[in-house]
Every structure is written in structure tokens, then in C-alpha cells.
Amino acid sequence: MAMIRDIFKRNKDSKEATIPTKSAKDVPEGLMTKCPSCKEITLTKDLDKNNKVCPKCDHHFKMTAYERVNSLLDAGSFESMDDHLKSENPLGFPGYTEKVQADSEKTGLNEAVLTGTGQLFGHPIVVAIMDSHFRMGSMGSVVGEKITRAIEAATERKLPFIIFTASGGARMQEGVLSLMQMAKTSVALKRHSNEGLLFVSVLTHPTTGGVSASFASVGDINIAEPKALIGFAGRRVIEQTVREKLPEDFQTAEFLLAHGQLDAVVHRASMKDTLATIVRLHTKGAVTNG
Amino acid sequence: MAKKNGKKTMPFEEPLIQLRTKISELKEYTANAEVDLSSEIKSLEDRFSKLEEEIYENMKPWDRVQVARHPERPTTLDYIPLIFNDFIELHGDRLYGDDEAIVSGIASFHGQPVTIIGHQRGKDTKENVRRNFGMPHPEGYRKALRLMKQAEKFKRPIICLIDTKGAYPGKAAEERGQSEAIARNLVEMAGLEVPVLSIVIGEGGSGGALALGVGNQILMLENSTFSVISPEGAASILWKDSALAQTAAEAMKITAPDLLEMKIIEHMIPEVRGGAHHDPQRQAAIISEAIRRSLAELNGMTAEELIDQRYRKFKSIGVFSE
């Protein structure tokens, strides 16, 4: 009896243990797009107009860095920086250079983060937007350097810094150099903070590992998109370590909010308004005038 | 596993063990027999010391990984009484609990008050359970930060001893914000107004190690490692085979000589032949001297200079082209 019950239970478990990670691949270039969450089929054109949020179930599709720029910043306000930095292959990993090259061609980015200046309803900001379509958004030397330079530009120009995180963590092929990018971005953030400047971290799906355990978690304000996977260790690693079943919503934005780890979970439709308001509330004189 | 001086030996030491056994067999034989084999014994002993030199002077990355993980390798609590005086352990993060995977407190070093914070693993199962195998929860990192801030208030240097496989990947750790605890330490360590010295004494595993690693100087014991992921983890992700850990240990460049060459660490602290576990007392003296030298360099710096130096150090790490 118990065994029979186990069989049914296991089926249920494996379904629950699945977190959609292939959604990037599941978004075809075609006319219609199927929601990986509710299976609703939507016109791709309509989905794009809806900031890539499923109109039926509110599933937030992954965005490319440029899609994020377009959905967030004032039209034409974005100016990118440090597009000229190029990754090396410091440990000589076979195939690494080619993989970076291929992802660069696929995404039109030099690395897994796009950085620059832009405006939110006229308020100037410095942004960094990670793109999980580029090597899972993993952080190597160039990602660390671009984010650091963006933070420094914000410090120099006395501007708020907003980052959209999407990353599997540190990039293994660059070894300990990747790990040290966590420290590098942190020393830059400390300087920015000491100037009394605002740092908002927006955690999007997925934000894990070394990125979660560095800049992503130390915003003056940390907000996340609904259902985003956020955590330090991977679900499978934890299940193997603690040998217990994890709740279905484990490591989701809502789970983190309930455990006091986030300031808010914000729907993509109101992301721009929310961020603009936060920036305005941290701008001298802007509140009484606005 | 063969024993030598009652210590667990490692595969790369096998030829030495075999030769030593042969020598003692011969010695035993001559003691009871009429034949004089002293010249043979002498030549074997010469060969032994040559072999010993050859093996210990040419340790491969995987050999060092094994030494770094040696169950009898001295831990934070072994070193503290050998290096410092008047140690008083201070417990708890004042928020949730006391994580015994991190030990911290105050002591004096050559008459100078210092704060000591170190990962603490166990040497047997019972202690390992108590210390969670040296893998901290968020409260461990928050205790560390509390004591760093305390050190800053009283203007005393902070000495961090790093020895962990990594931060604990558990359910409770996630619920209490493992990511935030590590991230907070990185940022706050960047701003500390006192000298921070981080010394890797065993394994330096990923973010869980780095959370005590944003120092003005990072020192590594000769047979310690500092890596973004364990060799086993790297092998299973890169080649889907954790048995290739040995290859990964070389490819990932995780040993003290590697990190020194990459200019990520300031100094490598030599170890007694064969590894620190062969003579903890002498090893402690070598570490003590390294601390003395580093503190002499850092003690003269102002708060601003210390923060600036730390900033420049980490800012410059990375390999890319423009």
C-alpha cells in the first residue's frame, strides 16, 4: 500500500520540484508564444506590448537586457557604456572563448550585463541590467568590471544606481577571479553608499549563487519580480544536503518576502512607476516640487 | 589507510610509507641476525630523504587539496592558543543564535589587542556535527560582522582565519538570508577603519570563505586552497563526472602558489614539510611571524588609507581586454 502511495507521491514531487529554467528556449521567434506556466498561447506581439508578462496568469517571461531598457527607461534616454570590454580566457578553458563569442553574437552584448545611463520620467540614473541569455548571466571578470565601473560612474555623477540582476552566479571558467568580482563590486558599492547615494537592487528570475550573495542582496531597497527564483544554493544541492522535501514556493520572490528578505515584490507593469517614485523620494527637493 | 606517526597518510605519500616500512623491517632483521646491513640501511635512508624532498617539494594541486582537507590539519581553535594570548571567545549574533561553525573573540598579539574570527570545523564526527563541518549559517556571518564592528570601535586589527568548504546550503540558511549575510559582510568589510588580515588556513570555499576575506591583505598557507567551487563540483558541472576532481583542481588554479601568481593574495605562508598537521606548534610560529610582518605594514596606516588600500586591491582583480 505504502509503496503504491509512494509512486503517486513521487510523480507529484517531481512536478513540484521543477522550476522553469528553459523558458528562454521555449520562447520561439514565431507569431505565437506559449506560456510555460499556464500554457496559454498569446500573440508574441501582444506579449511584447504587455512587457512580456502573460496576460492570463501574470507569468513574467525572461527579458533580454535591451527589452528591459525599452520597457523601463524614457525613450531614447539610454546611453550604454563599456561595450568595448572583452572577456579573456585566463585559465585556458577549452571552448570558453568560443562560447562567449557565440553568446555575444546571439545577444548583441559584449558580456552578460548591459550598463549605462538613462532616465526614469526625467530622473537620471545609472543602470546595470544582467542578461541571463548570455552564459546564464554568470559573473566573470568583465561582468564584475562593468558593474563596478557603472557604480563608480554613479558615485562620480552623484546618481542613483539601479541594477536588474539575473544570474546563475559566479562564472566557473574564470575560477577564483569570478569569485573576487563579488568583492570588487562590493568595495565600489561601499563608496557609492558613503556618498549618501541610493542603490536599488531589482532581483529578477533567476538570481542565485555569487550574484545573490553580493550586490543583489545589499540594495538600500531590494525588490523582486513575481515568482523570481532567488537563493544562495541550488534547490537540488539543498535537497541532497538536508534530505527533506522543500516547499513548492521555496526560493521564490514571495517566499523571500515572507521571510523578511525583500522590501517588496513588484509586478513588471508597475516597475517603472515604482522605481521612479523611489528615485524621486531620494532626490532633494523633488518631493515638494513633484 | 596506512598510518605514519599515527597520522593519516595520503595517496601521494604512499612511496614514502613503503620505503619507511622496508627500512624498519631491515632494522628489525639486523637486530636479530648476525649480518651487518648498516650500509644498505644507510643507502635506503638516503633514498628516503631524497624521495621525501622530491615528493613534498613537488606537490601537485590535488596533493595540496588533500593536505588542506586532512582531518588532523590544525584548525582555528588549534592555532589561537599557539599564536595569541588571553583569548576570550565571544558568542552570538544578537539576532538569532550562536553559530559554532565560526569562532570569534578578542586576544592579544605581542601585546596588541586584536579581534580573531575564524571558521571552525571539527576533527571527529561529534565535533563536526557541533561545528556543522565548518559550514556557517547566516548567524555565523552576522556574528563575524558584529565583532568586526566592535573591533572597529576599539580600533584593533581584525584577523580572519578562513577554513570552510563553503556556506551551508540548507533550508534554514536560505530562510534566514544566507545570501544577504555574506553580501553584507563583503560591503561592510570594505569600509572597516582598522587593519583586516585574512589568512586561508585550510579550504577557502567560495562565497562562504570570501565573507571573511575582504582583507587589506590575504595570506594563504602553502597547502591551502581558495576557489569559486570545489574541484568535485567543478568536475561534475564541467565534465559531468566528479571523479575528474583531480583534473579540475589543476585547471581551476586554486592553490596558494596559483593565487600568488595571479596576484590575488599578498603572501604565501610556508608550511612545515608534508603539511601543517606534521607540526602544529612550529606551523603556528611561522603563521605568527607572518601576522607580525603584515600587521607591522598595516598598523601605521590611517583609517582612510586602509579603506583606500582595500578598495584598490579588490578593484584591480580581473582579467579582460579593452
Side-chain angles (χ1 to χ4, degrees), chain B residues 17-44:
Chain B
I17 308 308
Q18 283 169 13
L19 196 54
R20 190 195 290 273
T21 315
K22 214 170 182 179
I23 292 171
S24 58
E25 273 169 11
L26 268 185
K27 276 182 175 165
E28 211 172 296
Y29 179 74
T30 38
N32 305 321
E34 296 293 302
V35 283
D36 179 19
L37 292 171
S38 56
S39 70
E40 280 82 356
I41 292 175
K42 174 85 176 56
S43 88
L44 279 184

Side-chain angles (χ1 to χ4, degrees), chain A residues 84 86 88 93 141 145 149 152 172 179 181 183-184 186 190-191 212-214 231-233 241 251 261, chain B residues 168-169 174-177 179 183 186-188 210 228 237-238 252 308 311 314-315 317 319-322:
Chain A
H84 61 293
K86 288 252 178 310
E88 300 261 309
F93 260 102
S141 295
E145 183 69 19
R149 290 190 190 186
E152 306 218 299
M172 250 190 315
L179 181 70
Q181 303 309 307
K184 175 154 92 182
S186 296
K190 186 67 187 172
R191 283 198 159 185
S212 160
S214 57
F232 175 67
T241 310
Q251 294 184 324
Q261 306 298 334
Chain B
Y168 189 62
E174 297 284 331
E175 288 171 340
R176 297 199 285 273
S179 289
L186 302 182
V187 172
E188 291 307 319
L210 190 63
V228 67
I237 292 176
L238 289 170
M252 298 294 287
D308 196 56
Y311 167 81
F314 286 97
K315 170 88 168 83
I317 300 178
V319 174
F320 55 87
S321 59
E322 296 210 37

Side-chain angles (χ1 to χ4, degrees), chain A residues 82 84-93 141-142 145 148-149 152 170-184 186-191 193-194 209 212-215 217-219 222 230-234 237-239 241-242 244-247 250-251 255-256 259-261, chain B residues 142 149 166-172 174-192 204-210 213-214 218 226-229 233-235 237-239 248 251-254 259 262 264 307-308 310-312 314-322:
Chain A
D82 299 315
H84 61 293
L85 300 191
K86 288 252 178 310
S87 286
E88 300 261 309
N89 188 1
L91 305 188
F93 260 102
S141 295
V142 171
E145 183 69 19
T148 301
R149 290 190 190 186
E152 306 218 299
R171 186 172 297 171
M172 250 190 315
Q173 288 91 342
E174 292 187 28
V176 74
L177 289 165
S178 301
L179 181 70
M180 291 297 159
Q181 303 309 307
M182 294 166 65
K184 175 154 92 182
S186 296
V187 297
L189 279 177
K190 186 67 187 172
R191 283 198 159 185
S193 181
N194 283 347
S212 160
S214 57
F215 48 82
S217 296
V218 288
N222 295 334
I230 304 162
F232 175 67
V237 175
I238 298 171
E239 278 179 334
T241 310
V242 299
E244 67 174 293
K245 199 175 92 64
L246 297 167
F250 188 65
Q251 294 184 324
F255 178 88
L256 268 79
H259 285 86
Q261 306 298 334
Chain B
R142 290 174 182 142
K149 290 291 189 184
Y168 189 62
K171 181 169 172 252
E174 297 284 331
E175 288 171 340
R176 297 199 285 273
Q178 188 72 290
S179 289
E180 196 272 348
I182 294 169
R184 184 67 56 198
N185 278 19
L186 302 182
V187 172
E188 291 307 319
M189 286 184 86
L192 289 169
S206 200
L210 190 63
V214 189
I218 303 176
F226 204 162
S227 63
V228 67
I229 184 169
I237 292 176
L238 289 170
W239 305 301
M252 298 294 287
K253 298 217 166 63
I254 61 175
L259 270 82
M262 287 191 275
I264 291 175
I307 293 168
D308 196 56
R310 218 177 287 129
Y311 167 81
R312 280 172 207 287
F314 286 97
K315 170 88 168 83
S316 70
I317 300 178
V319 174
F320 55 87
S321 59
E322 296 210 37

Side-chain angles (χ1 to χ4, degrees), chain A residues 91-232:
Chain A
L91 305 188
F93 260 102
Y96 176 52
T97 308
E98 292 75 12
K99 280 176 183 162
V100 169
Q101 183 63 33
D103 280 4
S104 184
E105 279 160 23
K106 186 178 84 185
T107 60
L109 299 167
N110 63 332
E111 253 294 348
V113 66
L114 176 66
T115 55
T117 53
Q119 295 190 355
L120 283 173
F121 296 124
H123 290 285
I125 57 164
V126 176
V127 280
I129 302 166
M130 302 185 84
D131 193 327
S132 63
H133 304 88
F134 195 121
R135 300 277 87 210
M136 306 261 289
S138 61
M139 173 162 65
S141 295
V142 171
V143 170
E145 183 69 19
K146 283 185 79 174
I147 291 171
T148 301
R149 290 190 190 186
I151 297 165
E152 306 218 299
T155 310
E156 210 168 290
R157 297 175 210 182
K158 306 233 177 286
L159 291 177
F161 175 62
I162 299 178
I163 191 161
F164 284 77
T165 62
S167 174
R171 186 172 297 171
M172 250 190 315
Q173 288 91 342
E174 292 187 28
V176 74
L177 289 165
S178 301
L179 181 70
M180 291 297 159
Q181 303 309 307
M182 294 166 65
K184 175 154 92 182
T185 49
S186 296
V187 297
L189 279 177
K190 186 67 187 172
R191 283 198 159 185
H192 184 259
S193 181
N194 283 347
E195 294 296 316
L197 297 166
L198 172 70
F199 167 37
V200 181
S201 174
V202 184
L203 298 92
T204 75
H205 182 81
T207 298
T208 60
V211 166
S212 160
S214 57
F215 48 82
S217 296
V218 288
D220 295 299
I221 294 172
N222 295 334
I223 57 190
E225 286 194 332
K227 302 275 168 63
L229 170 72
I230 304 162
F232 175 67

